[in-house]
Amino acid sequence: MKRNEPFVSIMGIDPGLNALGASIGWYYPRVKKLVIRDHTVVSSNTLARKDHRDEVKEYGSLISLFTCEEAMENLLTSWSPEFIVSEDAFYNPRMPNAFLSLKLCINAIQRVLFRHEKALYLIAPTIIKRTIFGSGTANKAAVHAGIVNHDDILFKDSKKKQLSKLVEHESDSIAVCYTFTQLYLPDILLLKN
């Protein structure tokens, strides 16, 4: 890519209060490449128990949601993405409470974005898996391998954020970013122009 190549900045999110994966990617429309600039995992439940121990005893996951909002605020400030995209909530009959947790996390993210006058784009998990792996039923390992080995996804690797230490929640957030560039961003850019 050329030095002054125009790009679109996208923040991908794999929602969750136990582990929220987030990544920031720069997508270069002319060459159709996504360069991952940074990625992280936020453990809202763990942070809430550590920083607000007494409040967590009384208010439980409500404090975790506030912690999630604080983390999102910090990520928005440091990354300044043009678009924010998240995996949508899904229902697993073996873990029915997980759906509620996902919805609450997504709502917390939307509250932060509302204050910044930004929208949250939601993508169904099966669409993300199909885009990355070719099958809507791909497991976490398949999505991870699809991300790491994809020709159109490049990583700005550093000593601090080594590709070999990428965890599943970060991989999922990158898959969200990439899916957005393939299925939604072209139409958005077309309408913009």
Side-chain angles (χ1 to χ4, degrees):
M1 283 151 295
K2 295 177 183 173
R3 188 176 183 94
N4 293 323
E5 184 84 26
F7 65 87
V8 178
S9 60
I10 305 160
M11 179 179 180
I13 301 168
D14 176 36
L17 291 178
N18 287 328
L20 179 145
S23 58
I24 183 73
W26 288 3
Y27 182 69
Y28 295 86
R30 187 184 65 79
V31 294
K32 296 181 173 40
K33 301 284 184 191
L34 176 66
V35 177
I36 302 304
R37 309 285 299 178
D38 200 359
H39 46 85
T40 190
V41 174
V42 176
S43 302
S44 297
N45 283 340
T46 303
L47 289 170
R49 284 193 297 273
K50 178 182 167 197
D51 297 340
H52 307 282
R53 185 168 297 171
D54 294 334
E55 293 93 336
V56 168
K57 288 177 187 173
E58 188 170 348
Y59 297 105
S61 62
L62 187 60
I63 302 300
S64 297
L65 290 167
F66 289 140
T67 305
C68 177
E69 287 184 27
E70 287 172 17
M72 282 306 302
E73 189 73 48
N74 292 336
L75 289 173
L76 274 179
T77 302
S78 64
W79 288 348
S80 301
E82 293 171 63
F83 296 98
I84 301 95
V85 189
S86 176
E87 180 179 83
D88 203 353
F90 57 93
Y91 182 75
N92 182 342
R94 288 176 290 184
M95 300 183 325
N97 290 338
F99 177 77
L100 178 58
S101 178
L102 285 172
K103 286 306 277 184
L104 289 171
C105 181
I106 290 168
N107 287 341
I109 293 165
Q110 288 174 317
R111 278 192 300 277
V112 173
L113 296 180
F114 178 77
R115 290 193 296 267
H116 289 267
E117 298 180 354
K118 292 202 173 262
L120 180 65
Y121 294 85
L122 295 169
I123 306 175
T126 53
I127 293 172
I128 297 165
K129 291 174 183 179
R130 191 176 322 119
T131 303
I132 293 299
F133 189 71
S135 168
T137 59
N139 63 22
K140 296 276 188 189
V143 170
H144 179 79
I147 291 298
V148 172
N149 299 314
H150 204 292
D151 291 337
D152 293 332
I153 301 173
L154 309 172
F155 291 84
K156 184 180 181 277
D157 216 359
S158 69
K159 290 179 183 177
K160 187 178 176 188
K161 294 285 186 175
Q162 293 177 356
L163 183 56
S164 61
K165 298 194 176 170
L166 193 70
V167 299
E168 69 180 47
H169 303 291
E170 292 167 315
S171 293
D172 287 351
S173 73
I174 294 166
V176 170
C177 269
Y178 182 74
T179 301
F180 180 75
T181 68
Q182 300 305 293
L183 302 181
Y184 302 93
L185 188 60
D187 288 341
I188 293 169
L189 294 178
L190 192 63
L191 288 171
K192 217 176 188 181
N193 294 332

